[in-house]
Amino acid sequence: MKAFAALTATELRLLFRDPASLFFMMAFPLMLLVLKRGDGDAVPGYIAMIVAIGGMGALPGIVASYRERKVLKRLATTPISPILLFGAQLVAQVVAGFAGSVLLVVAAVTLFGTPAPRDLPMLAAAFLLCTVMVCALGFVVAAVVRNTRGASLVGMLVMFPMIFLAGAAVPRRALPEPLRRIGDFLPLTPGVEALSGAWSGAAALFPLVLLAGIIVVATAVAAALFRWE
């Protein structure tokens, strides 16, 4: 446990020292909130966007860099398994996403008078499942694309269309019908739906079940394809 806690603390420090991650997970959602004038309907989508930026935009490059720099190979010969490193990275993404989300929610409620979320337990469950889901997808990207630049690029190429078509950046009702149909099949869509339902007090279990299923499948795919070097 001490080794895992130390790894997690290190991953968090590295994550918060990255200017791009800090901007897109902390400042960028706040800028969108100001532009939307505190629109409460947009906040759950922005939370999904925050965790997608961490899990898909940042994580693949980080994991690929560990492989490229032989960190994983060296760890495999020590009592600290590479699996612990992946677990620490996952926890770091959850903590960073939570920090960005709390900052966003506090700003929305206190500065713009946005109604507070009505179902906090379901919102917490939706947040956790959504975060783990995008991180699982990020591990899949890192398993398929072996170099740092390539993994980062592919992660962002997947992330940016997904946050727009899944309703994280803009409401899906504002999209043309063909784009909404594409969004129906994107893994972030049930995350946005779960967060929005919990926020409004109309939470449904089906989006949570979908998120759990995606986590299981993505984790299995990542485990089957991943190579330490």
Side-chain angles (χ1 to χ4, degrees):
M1 286 300 294
K2 289 184 178 180
F4 181 74
L7 279 173
T8 302
T10 300
E11 293 296 329
L12 270 172
R13 284 196 299 270
L14 293 174
L15 193 59
F16 281 110
R17 287 175 183 173
D18 179 10
S21 296
L22 282 177
F23 175 77
F24 283 107
M25 296 183 75
M26 305 289 177
F28 185 63
L30 291 175
M31 293 168 59
L32 293 178
L33 183 70
V34 172
L35 291 175
K36 283 281 189 176
R37 298 182 180 179
D39 182 6
D41 292 337
V43 176
Y46 293 163
I47 294 174
M49 180 172 61
I50 288 170
V51 299
I53 288 170
M56 291 295 295
L59 186 144
I62 294 171
V63 175
S65 73
Y66 290 154
R67 182 200 290 114
E68 202 169 38
R69 292 185 285 122
K70 308 297 183 182
V71 173
L72 300 180
K73 184 179 179 180
R74 291 195 295 270
L75 283 178
T77 64
T78 72
I80 302 175
S81 166
I83 299 297
L84 286 182
L85 183 64
F86 293 162
Q89 178 60 221
L90 176 61
V91 174
Q93 291 294 340
V94 170
V95 172
F98 180 74
S101 299
V102 169
L103 181 63
L104 177 71
V105 171
V106 169
V109 173
T110 59
L111 299 180
F112 295 99
T114 302
R118 295 184 179 180
D119 193 338
L120 281 176
M122 287 297 288
L123 186 66
F127 168 81
L128 183 60
L129 284 173
C130 189
T131 306
V132 175
M133 184 274 294
V134 293
C135 287
L137 294 178
F139 283 125
V140 171
V141 173
V144 174
V145 186
R146 303 295 179 85
N147 62 82
T148 305
R149 288 187 178 181
S152 297
L153 178 60
V154 171
M156 288 188 289
L157 287 176
V158 173
M159 179 198 71
F160 279 112
M162 187 165 62
I163 63 177
F164 282 98
L165 298 180
V170 295
R172 293 185 65 210
R173 62 179 178 272
L175 299 174
E177 179 63 23
L179 295 182
R180 285 202 300 271
R181 290 180 180 178
I182 295 173
D184 290 339
F185 299 96
L186 295 177
L188 191 61
T189 300
V192 176
E193 292 175 349
L195 290 164
S196 298
W199 187 279
S200 65
L205 289 178
F206 185 64
L208 299 179
V209 173
L210 281 178
L211 290 173
I214 296 169
I215 291 170
V216 172
V217 173
T219 301
V221 171
L225 298 179
F226 197 88
R227 298 294 181 268
W228 300 121
E229 55 180 318

